Amino acid sequence: MTIGAFARAARLSPKALRLYDELGLLTPARVDPLSGYRRYSPDQLERARLVAWLRRLGMPLARIRGVCGLAPADAAAEVRAYWAQVEADTAARRSLASLLVEQLSGEDTTMTVTLRYAVRTDRGLVRDSNQDVGYAGERLLAVADGFGARGEPLSSVAIDTLAPLDTAIPAGELLNALADAVERAGAAVGEYLSANPADGCSGTTLTAMVLSGSRLGLVHVGDARVYLLRGDGWFRITHDHTAVQSLIAEGRLTEEEAVSHPRRSLLVRALSGGAVEPDLALHDALPGDRYLLCSDGLHTVVPEADLRHVLASAAEPEEATRRLVDLANARGGPDNVVCVVADVVPA
């Protein structure tokens, strides 16, 4: 089939087909060696239509390339995971839009909720010290994972700087307050490193949530993670700031390959003395929600299916944190672990 005929049959433009060829998504069956004219086989229509459908979902081309290389069942699971993330991101933007509407209209119809929480940290079975720190209070949940020779004090410095956020903050000021707090934490880390220099790079990750009314503001730097169990839904609402995650986003690495990649712990964003741009988001906090904040010492060792099972089956946050740490240590405990589990309950 000519590129024009194939484009019409696949409901794609010739321009899109040329791009997909360049990216290795949809290589023509034959290319004329003299004119460079592309010809396609009718057998390629199914793949072309799949690419078109995935693009309509908004899936990045790099991720589409990975989906197209999977068996049907695995491809379906990948699409399901992608759409769950889209829905989580959309929910965060919807919450921000609702907040803006309320502020501009002078209306506030949100209900007030509170948190029931627990925090646990453990050195693990291999490390000589514990560089992970957690915090759980009435309004603030936070985890920090230090690294390098000064990692242990730096994670505490970051958490101590955020601790004043465990107070009533108007929802309209939540994201600005979080951004300012992380900026202060970064400055405090820089000051500590200047006063206490050491060989190599030292710093800390920082991930936190602050409750205001029925909204949770999220700030995130590094590779700690936040998971949400909402009814039967399971969502990861943070993105790792690692070199490996960048390779996954570009389609150059799969999630499975990333687990054993030698650079899997290499951070591209952290508090280490320089300027850093945190991720900021606003989420609705609904009664019945259960949140997990954890360092990579947990999520790189314990599969997500097991994390979800513990959060779904544990009666109380304290039980959940204990079982999660036990799972990490049962798998060798290669790293420090910190985890915070919080239930959203009516006030």
Side-chain angles (χ1 to χ4, degrees):
M1 299 175 68
T2 66
I3 188 171
F6 189 81
R8 288 190 294 274
R11 297 183 182 275
L12 290 166
S13 69
K15 180 179 179 180
L17 288 174
R18 286 191 287 270
L19 174 62
Y20 299 161
D21 179 18
E22 293 170 5
L23 295 175
L25 271 172
L26 192 62
T27 304
R30 185 167 63 86
V31 179
D32 188 290
L34 297 178
S35 67
Y37 203 76
R38 298 169 172 85
R39 300 190 71 89
Y40 293 82
S41 167
D43 294 340
Q44 295 179 284
L45 281 172
E46 184 175 351
R47 183 184 179 105
R49 288 166 179 155
L50 174 60
V51 172
W53 291 332
L54 293 174
R55 285 299 294 153
R56 291 190 185 102
L57 286 179
M59 183 178 287
L61 290 170
R63 192 161 184 173
I64 290 175
R65 184 166 60 233
V67 171
C68 289
L70 298 174
D74 293 332
E78 179 66 12
V79 173
R80 188 179 300 113
Y82 168 75
W83 193 248
Q85 186 61 57
V86 170
E87 290 181 325
D89 292 343
T90 300
R93 292 195 297 272
R94 181 171 59 246
S95 183
L96 180 56
S98 297
L99 175 62
L100 291 172
V101 168
E102 290 165 6
Q103 287 183 324
L104 293 170
S105 64
E107 300 174 356
D108 187 354
T109 58
T110 58
M111 66 181 294
T112 301
V113 295
T114 189
L115 299 174
R116 186 169 58 230
Y117 51 83
V119 59
R120 186 177 297 267
T121 185
D122 191 87
R123 189 180 69 185
L125 305 180
V126 175
R127 299 295 177 91
D128 294 328
S129 62
N130 191 354
Q131 298 183 322
D132 288 8
V133 179
Y135 182 102
E138 291 184 2
R139 293 181 174 87
L140 172 66
L141 312 170
V143 296
D145 178 1
F147 59 87
R150 298 287 183 260
E152 188 170 359
L154 291 179
S155 54
S156 295
V157 166
I159 293 293
D160 290 346
T161 306
L162 246 68
L165 294 180
D166 195 8
T167 188
I169 300 174
E173 300 175 13
L174 201 49
L175 295 185
N176 288 336
L178 283 166
D180 291 344
V182 170
E183 185 175 351
R184 290 194 297 272
V189 165
E191 290 172 5
Y192 186 95
L193 289 173
S194 296
N196 302 273
D199 294 335
C201 181
S202 294
T204 183
T205 68
L206 184 60
T207 300
M209 303 189 84
V210 175
L211 179 68
S212 177
S214 64
R215 292 191 171 87
L216 279 162
L218 167 70
V219 66
H220 170 62
V221 179
D223 62 352
R225 290 183 180 176
V226 179
Y227 295 96
L228 166 62
L229 181 70
R230 174 173 288 170
D232 294 331
W234 172 253
F235 308 99
R236 175 178 146 197
I237 60 175
T238 53
H239 301 280
D240 296 345
H241 296 149
T242 60
V244 162
Q245 188 61 46
S246 298
L247 293 174
I248 293 173
E250 294 168 3
R252 297 162 60 189
L253 202 67
T254 66
E255 293 280 359
E256 293 73 19
E257 292 168 336
V259 173
S260 58
H261 196 280
R263 300 175 67 199
R264 63 186 178 276
S265 298
L266 180 61
L267 295 167
V268 295
R269 271 195 256 178
L271 302 184
S272 55
V276 65
E277 184 71 25
D279 290 345
L280 292 162
L282 199 61
H283 294 266
D284 287 325
L286 304 181
D289 286 352
R290 174 168 280 184
Y291 285 89
L292 166 64
L293 290 74
C294 64
S295 63
D296 66 333
L298 180 66
H299 68 71
T300 60
V301 176
V302 181
E304 278 198 22
D306 293 342
L307 298 179
R308 179 177 185 172
H309 174 72
V310 170
L311 258 68
S313 59
E316 296 292 335
E318 183 69 33
E319 177 192 347
T321 59
R322 175 181 54 78
R323 289 171 58 184
L324 290 170
V325 169
D326 288 347
L327 279 176
N329 286 333
R331 291 177 172 268
D335 198 357
N336 307 149
V337 173
V338 62
C339 56
V340 172
V341 174
D343 291 343
V344 179
V345 296

